Amino acid sequence: MTSATAPVRDLPDIRRDDRGLPVLGRAMAYARDPIALFQRQWDHYGPVAPMQILGDRWVMLLGPDACQAALTNRDKAFANGPAWTHLVGPFFHRGLMLLDFEEHHLHRRIMQEAFVRPRLEGYAAGMHPAIERGLATWPGADSSFKTYPALKQLTLDVAADIFMGGAEDSSPEEMARVNKAFIACVQAASALVRKDLPLTRWGRGHRGREVLEQWLRHYLPSRRARLTDDLFSQLCHIETDDGQRFTDDDVVNHMVFLMMAAHDTSTITLSTMLQYLGQHPEWQDRCRAESDALPARASLTELDGLTSLDLVIKECLRLRAPVPVVVRRTVKDVVVEGVRIPADTFVTVAAQFSHLMPELWTDPTSFDPERFSPERREDKSHRFAWEPFGGGVHKCLGMAFAGMEVSAVMHHLLRTYEWRVDPTYVAPLDNRSLPFPKDGQPVSLVRRP
């Protein structure tokens, strides 16, 4: 944010050649190639760039300084709830990401007890059986195995074990239905028709939310009745020192959001890692050597010691952030980088653009995990050069859990399989919601002896 003595400019008008399509504005340009759109906005307007999307004027914040202003939110001018509610409100109603200020602080304070180190150690131990069961269904060899849907089912099964205590009477068919419901809720964010109508993304999102609520409420009485180690039960029983607890609706709302966040973003990261490790076998071999030196069911401390894998995770999160943008809405006028943004303006905070700026990174589009090594630490070029988990009070509460889950799954994959990906392969991404490979992310897979 600029200093008080710097000159302040009003938000510039949108250039005629930047207005995009009628009604849609730049929505289709983002879906086609968000990186190209980020660069165009930066070239035309700088770090505070106006744009038209679905009939509304938005502002895109680009570069680490502008992103820092919104994420740290020192003036409390940026709110999550009004922005995310506009995009996915009916489907992730009152999830932690959709709460603001004191209410957000209270809910986060209650929930963070579920992510302290001793609980993470228990979650790590509990993940291994689910991962082993999932990988047992993968083929022994396949020259074009579509890993993305397989990973998505695997991470959902892990989430069901860790967050739900196993969802003991849910059949594979029901879990597939739940997975489909999560997909519908996430993809509804890009709906053009925002009414609950048949054959629309918005309508499918509503049906998906109904499936998830019914599924969770089926288990709610048993989790209320007895305290167990799973997250669902913890949310039912945990309370603050002054006796504040989550209501049934709170528990369901938080579970829907947390399970989505726990398996969708992890799936994207794992898919990206399979691609780049398949294209860079020297890094795959380096990571495998570290995993082979550990037991199959590695502890959290042992997983933390997989230093090469950690470098790869960070680099893949940089190259393809699972959440490339986050959204806010201004609740009052605010000045960012010398530009006044009016109250009641939708704002896109484009973290992914910072991850690829040549001002911050050496050869930014290349796969180079060593850039995160202690000797280089290119991520230290700016506090917000690398921000895949956001920042400020809304920084991802589950980022340690996500890192642990990705490490555990990759640990088992490295010990169980070898794989290759054509060095010229470029993932055809669907960018309408969270980015995922439209072709299912095929790899040439062989089970190790």
Side-chain angles (χ1 to χ4, degrees), residues 25-269:
R26 305 300 288 169
M28 295 305 295
Y30 180 90
R32 283 194 303 271
D33 189 345
I35 306 302
L37 178 61
F38 298 156
Q39 188 64 55
R40 182 185 177 97
Q41 291 287 103
W42 175 266
D43 292 342
H44 286 185
Y45 305 101
V48 183
M51 63 178 180
Q52 198 79 13
I53 292 185
L54 299 179
D56 293 306
R57 186 169 81 154
W58 287 62
V59 169
M60 181 176 282
L61 299 183
L62 297 160
D65 290 321
C67 290
Q68 180 175 2
L71 295 175
T72 56
N73 199 16
R74 292 176 181 170
D75 294 337
K76 294 188 176 181
F78 298 94
N80 276 35
W84 286 115
T85 297
H86 177 72
L87 294 179
V88 293
F91 322 116
F92 298 108
H93 176 64
R94 293 187 60 75
L96 191 63
M97 186 176 70
L98 279 72
L99 302 179
D100 284 297
F101 308 122
E102 290 305 316
E103 186 178 37
H104 169 262
H105 176 71
L106 172 63
H107 281 242
R108 187 181 177 99
R109 185 161 54 89
I110 298 172
M111 198 179 298
Q112 68 187 6
E113 291 299 318
F115 294 99
V116 295
R117 179 76 182 190
R119 295 201 184 281
L120 290 175
E121 290 171 348
Y123 298 154
M127 282 182 183
H128 294 300
I131 296 170
E132 290 166 354
R133 287 195 306 271
L135 292 184
T137 68
W138 286 31
D142 192 325
S143 62
S144 188
F145 181 60
K146 293 186 176 182
T147 54
Y148 181 80
L151 286 167
K152 200 165 194 314
Q153 188 61 55
L154 176 61
T155 56
L156 179 61
D157 291 342
V158 170
D161 267 25
I162 301 304
F163 286 9
M164 296 283 296
E168 57 276 358
D169 61 354
S170 289
S171 66
E173 293 75 20
E174 184 171 19
M175 291 306 294
R177 186 164 161 259
V178 167
N179 191 15
K180 185 177 180 181
F182 275 117
I183 293 171
C185 289
V186 171
Q187 292 189 348
S190 62
L192 301 180
V193 178
R194 293 178 174 263
K195 292 184 179 180
D196 186 4
L197 297 173
L199 306 179
T200 65
R201 283 190 167 220
W202 203 254
R204 287 193 292 271
H206 275 280
R207 301 294 82 73
R209 173 69 190 210
E210 290 171 3
V211 168
L212 298 177
E213 286 223 17
Q214 291 170 4
W215 182 60
L216 290 167
R217 289 188 186 278
H218 169 74
Y219 292 102
L220 189 61
S222 66
R223 298 316 190 262
R224 282 288 192 198
R226 186 168 66 93
L227 177 61
T228 54
D229 289 336
D230 60 272
L231 180 64
F232 197 0
S233 180
Q234 293 295 321
L235 294 181
C236 287
H237 292 270
I238 203 165
E239 64 180 58
T240 62
D241 293 339
D242 56 358
Q244 296 194 54
R245 300 176 64 177
F246 287 142
T247 66
D248 285 357
D249 286 345
D250 288 336
V251 172
V252 170
N253 290 332
H254 287 313
M255 283 296 297
V256 169
F257 175 72
L258 286 171
M259 288 196 68
M260 177 279 294
H263 87 280
D264 248 10
T265 54
S266 294
T267 302
I268 293 167
T269 302

Side-chain angles (χ1 to χ4, degrees), residues 351-425:
Q352 180 68 86
F353 182 70
S354 300
H355 291 185
L356 299 172
M357 293 179 72
E359 297 91 336
L360 303 173
W361 307 93
T362 303
D363 193 9
T365 60
S366 69
F367 176 76
D368 181 10
E370 287 287 1
R371 70 175 79 246
F372 289 94
S373 66
E375 296 77 20
R376 290 173 61 184
R377 290 306 302 269
E378 291 186 9
D379 55 310
K380 295 295 186 182
S381 59
H382 190 287
R383 181 183 170 193
F384 281 78
W386 185 78
E387 47 187 306
F389 299 103
V393 298
H394 278 281
K395 190 169 186 175
C396 178
L397 182 62
M399 61 181 182
F401 177 92
M404 174 186 66
E405 180 183 17
V406 169
S407 295
V409 172
M410 287 304 306
H411 172 64
H412 282 275
L413 278 168
L414 288 161
R415 289 173 57 89
T416 308
Y417 284 100
E418 295 179 4
W419 64 92
R420 292 293 181 267
V421 174
D422 185 336
T424 64
Y425 169 81

Side-chain angles (χ1 to χ4, degrees), residues 320-355:
R320 189 179 303 159
V323 184
V325 301
V326 296
V327 295
R328 301 288 191 265
R329 190 175 176 94
T330 54
V331 295
K332 60 183 178 181
D333 288 5
V334 62
V335 176
V336 176
E337 293 296 286
V339 178
R340 180 183 292 105
I341 304 173
D344 299 320
T345 300
F346 287 113
V347 175
T348 295
V349 185
Q352 180 68 86
F353 182 70
S354 300
H355 291 185

